[in-house]
Amino acid sequence: MMPERLKETAMRHCMIAVLPLILIPLLLAGCATNAIRLEQAGAVQARSREAVTATASYFDAIEQRRREAAAALVASDPSCLPATPLRIQVPIAPSAPAAPLCLVSDAPSPGYTAFEIDIGSSPRAVLEPRIALIAAISDYADALAAILDAPNTDVSVEITAFADQADRLARFSNFVAGTDLPNVNATVASEQGQSLVALIAFAADLACEARQTTDVRALVIERGAVVDRALSSLSVQVTTWGRGAARNADDLYGNALFRTYIRNRESLSSDQRELLAARVFAAREAAKDGPARAVLVADAIDLAAKAQAGLRDALAGRLTPAQRRAAARLNIDRMTRALGLIASLATPA
């Protein structure tokens, strides 16, 4: 018989030997969870940076085109002055006599109707806050995915980033009111304003509970639909903008160049006419670009909406750990693809 003290000593040695074997799988599982989370966060953050850089490049290019369009329109007729809004007159009857492009008095010439062009309105004012909102929601989605991966994980960094960015959207007062986007009826604009105010409040409340994962999860399940409403409103508005205002600058540019060609073709050399005609064709082709870019943004908004809704549904459901991780990966992939669509703005269509 082994003495009792020797038994205890042997058991301690045995436990010391076995303990690392028990802990190794747990440690490896923890490392795997951390690796998943870092991988997700890295992908979203990288895509967010790409989206911001790409949109800055896009806005710079479109602003340059708009300035050229405005200058060409004014230069196409001696009746026009470099002012905005520019008041032009367009014929409404085939028999209307020739008349100056720009109004020289309050009333248009016989056979013409007046048309006001605000060549100062900028695509940047329309798209920038909407893209900023997608970038903000990417942090929110990142937090939800992290909770799915590890239910007790600390997501205060992601939630705080989401709240900070959502709060900054309030500076775009026209954006929140919905008045920066032309050709959208008052109902949609009002709905957008309400949904964005609700979203900003939701983000602020999440930030107050950022370190309490259980409370964050409860808030998301209870009020997360405000994100759906905000994104749905944005999708409608961007699509509407793309169908109309997005192509105005290039349409105006092409039309102005065409007027210049018509008026001066007799006095221009063959080479000069060729160059001017090439510019007309290029401007008209570029007019297709604005709506195409707006479609990319609308598609990105829809994909971001699907991602965050999928994450919220997964949080509310009774899933196994493996199912939770699969949902996290699927929807973070959707979010990174949404940001990738935004980043593609930098690539010429």
Side-chain angles (χ1 to χ4, degrees):
M1 295 282 297
M2 183 181 293
E4 201 63 33
R5 181 174 295 178
L6 289 177
K7 280 185 180 180
E8 291 177 5
T9 303
M11 287 178 65
R12 279 199 300 272
H13 284 301
C14 183
M15 287 300 296
I16 290 169
V18 171
L19 190 59
L21 299 178
I22 296 173
L23 290 177
I24 283 172
L26 296 175
L27 291 171
L28 288 176
C31 290
T33 299
N34 288 337
I36 290 170
R37 184 176 177 190
L38 289 172
E39 173 189 323
Q40 291 168 343
V44 171
Q45 290 165 8
R47 285 295 192 185
S48 292
R49 287 192 296 271
E50 288 174 14
V52 170
T53 300
T55 51
S57 172
Y58 167 63
F59 289 139
D60 288 344
I62 200 70
E63 287 297 325
Q64 180 62 34
R65 287 221 310 269
R66 284 170 47 76
R67 285 193 293 270
E68 292 171 353
L73 184 63
V74 170
S76 70
D77 195 290
S79 65
C80 298
L81 294 173
T84 188
L86 195 64
R87 300 180 67 223
I88 67 172
Q89 52 184 3
V90 293
I92 54 176
S95 58
L101 173 64
C102 291
L103 283 174
V104 294
S105 62
D106 290 337
S109 301
Y112 285 77
T113 186
F115 186 69
E116 194 171 89
I117 301 170
D118 183 3
I119 54 180
S121 292
S122 166
R124 181 186 291 271
V126 174
L127 287 183
E128 187 172 33
R130 288 159 176 83
I131 290 168
L133 180 57
I134 298 176
I137 289 173
S138 72
D139 285 309
Y140 167 72
D142 198 17
L144 301 193
I147 295 173
L148 283 173
D149 264 346
N152 295 318
T153 193
D154 181 359
V155 292
S156 56
V157 172
E158 294 90 340
I159 291 295
T160 301
F162 168 50
D164 287 346
Q165 292 190 71
D167 183 62
R168 282 197 292 273
L169 289 173
R171 293 179 306 167
F172 295 95
S173 56
N174 289 343
F175 171 53
V176 174
T179 58
D180 65 329
L181 195 63
N183 306 318
V184 180
N185 64 53
T187 302
V188 174
S190 174
E191 181 182 335
Q192 181 201 1
Q194 293 173 7
S195 64
L196 285 171
V197 168
L199 175 67
I200 292 167
F202 171 59
D205 289 345
L206 276 180
C208 292
E209 307 295 341
R211 292 190 178 279
Q212 304 297 324
T213 306
T214 303
D215 293 340
V216 168
R217 183 172 182 162
L219 271 174
V220 168
I221 293 170
E222 178 187 355
R223 292 169 53 193
V226 301
V227 183
D228 298 6
R229 290 194 292 274
L231 289 173
S232 176
S233 177
L234 291 190
S235 181
V236 170
Q237 291 206 331
V238 168
T239 300
T240 303
W241 177 78
R243 288 174 183 157
R247 69 186 306 158
N248 282 355
D250 288 308
D251 273 344
L252 289 174
Y253 191 22
N255 291 340
L257 292 172
F258 187 73
R259 277 181 64 88
T260 301
Y261 186 94
I262 292 295
R263 290 195 170 200
N264 299 288
R265 59 182 171 178
E266 297 296 337
S267 61
L268 295 175
S269 68
S270 174
D271 288 345
Q272 288 172 327
R273 286 196 299 272
E274 181 180 346
L275 289 173
L276 190 53
R279 290 175 65 192
V280 172
F281 289 130
R284 289 183 171 170
E285 186 63 28
K288 303 173 186 176
D289 184 59
R293 306 290 184 173
V295 167
L296 284 178
V297 177
D299 287 348
I301 292 171
D302 293 342
L303 196 53
K306 185 181 293 184
Q308 63 82 31
L311 289 165
R312 187 176 70 250
D313 290 346
L315 281 177
R318 294 186 176 182
L319 305 178
T320 66
Q323 288 171 329
R324 288 199 306 268
R325 284 192 291 273
R329 286 182 178 276
L330 169 65
N331 289 295
I332 283 297
D333 178 65
R334 285 172 172 166
M335 186 60 71
T336 53
R337 280 190 285 134
L339 292 167
L341 284 172
I342 298 297
S344 68
L345 286 170
T347 305

